Amino acid sequence: MTGPTIESILKTRHAWLKGQPHDLDDVRQRAEMTRIISENYRVFEEVRDRVLRNTDSFLRHVEIVAETLSVEGHALIGDLLRHDIILKEEHGHEICEAQGRRYLSGGWLEELAWLAAMDAGADEAVFGQALGWSVQGYSGENEIDLIMREGDRLGFVSCKALRSELDMHDKKHRNRLMDAVHEADNLIDHFGRPGDKVAILVSTDLFDEAKGSARYNALMGKAAILDVRVIPLEELAFGKLRQALANLIQTEKMDQT
């Protein structure tokens, strides 16, 4: 690759990518499944929780309690089986192995972000990477879910697979969302430069369509002050996410879907 790369840009900032890159062929093979999840996240929550509970019960050698799924849930189970994300144990219960657990637990969201970034026209993108850094004799590393590049500008995206329903009485959920905004701000302060952008991609419904207002005003206000773009459940579907990421680094390489 000629010209700047993510790695060469990071090097000028005393940082570097650590570890092995992901197998992108596998990511592309799962792309259909990943898009299905993005279009049906609320159904996916139901299915994911059932599969992970079944898996935990299977590994602990305890009885797996059958749970009722919606028609849509059964269809999604079929999709996951078809893409080899989950499998059926001898009694017919759906379980997953280590790679499937990683995908179901949030890996799919990072893969979705990478697929959308590349489709949006990013010159380059990497996901699920550890970033090593060294500053004034101190060193460390940060986990970064997605880095995308257009020219010599970078966009950083933190992906949080959280519960879709926002209960304002749930302090833990609220704190996780607010922490994500602060983490993103710290990320851009540390690794970013003028012209770079940062966003959080969260699978929580943060906009009340009936009222035409944000569900969590303090979160959106803090994000606005810190210039952190919040991409919520409302923009999780592939076409909308692709547009959001295109706008993040102001690319003009695609038409709006």
Side-chain angles (χ1 to χ4, degrees), residues 30-48:
R30 286 190 292 267
E32 180 191 11
M33 185 68 247
T34 303
R35 290 194 189 199
I36 290 172
I37 294 172
S38 77
E39 301 279 353
N40 302 275
Y41 182 70
R42 294 182 190 275
V43 177
F44 171 71
E45 281 184 298
E46 169 191 12
V47 169
R48 175 203 61 205

Side-chain angles (χ1 to χ4, degrees), residues 108-212:
W108 67 273
L109 189 57
E110 294 180 2
E111 293 185 15
L112 177 71
W114 181 82
L115 289 163
M118 296 306 297
D119 206 56
D123 293 325
E124 183 187 4
V126 295
F127 73 94
Q129 288 287 308
L131 220 62
W133 53 266
S134 178
V135 178
Q136 298 181 0
Y138 300 97
S139 60
E141 69 176 50
N142 289 73
E143 296 289 334
I144 298 186
D145 297 326
L146 178 75
I147 308 175
M148 53 191 297
R149 177 182 66 81
E150 181 176 304
D152 59 359
R153 291 179 294 110
L154 300 181
F156 301 91
V157 181
S158 178
C159 302
K160 303 294 182 184
L162 302 178
R163 190 174 68 247
S164 62
E165 200 69 32
L166 176 64
D167 179 357
M168 288 301 292
H169 298 292
D170 187 340
K171 185 177 180 180
K172 182 178 179 180
H173 194 179
R174 293 199 329 270
N175 286 347
R176 290 188 69 183
L177 288 164
M178 191 65 79
D179 286 348
V181 170
H182 287 290
E183 288 170 12
D185 181 55
N186 291 337
L187 194 65
I188 196 74
D189 283 347
H190 192 164
F191 300 109
R193 295 295 184 271
D196 293 346
K197 297 293 183 180
V198 67
I200 60 170
L201 170 59
V202 296
S203 55
T204 298
D205 182 351
L206 294 176
F207 190 76
D208 188 330
E209 287 81 7
K211 295 181 179 179

Side-chain angles (χ1 to χ4, degrees), residues 168 178 215-223:
M168 288 301 292
M178 191 65 79
R215 297 183 187 277
Y216 190 179
N217 279 310
L219 176 80
M220 303 307 288
K222 177 63 71 172

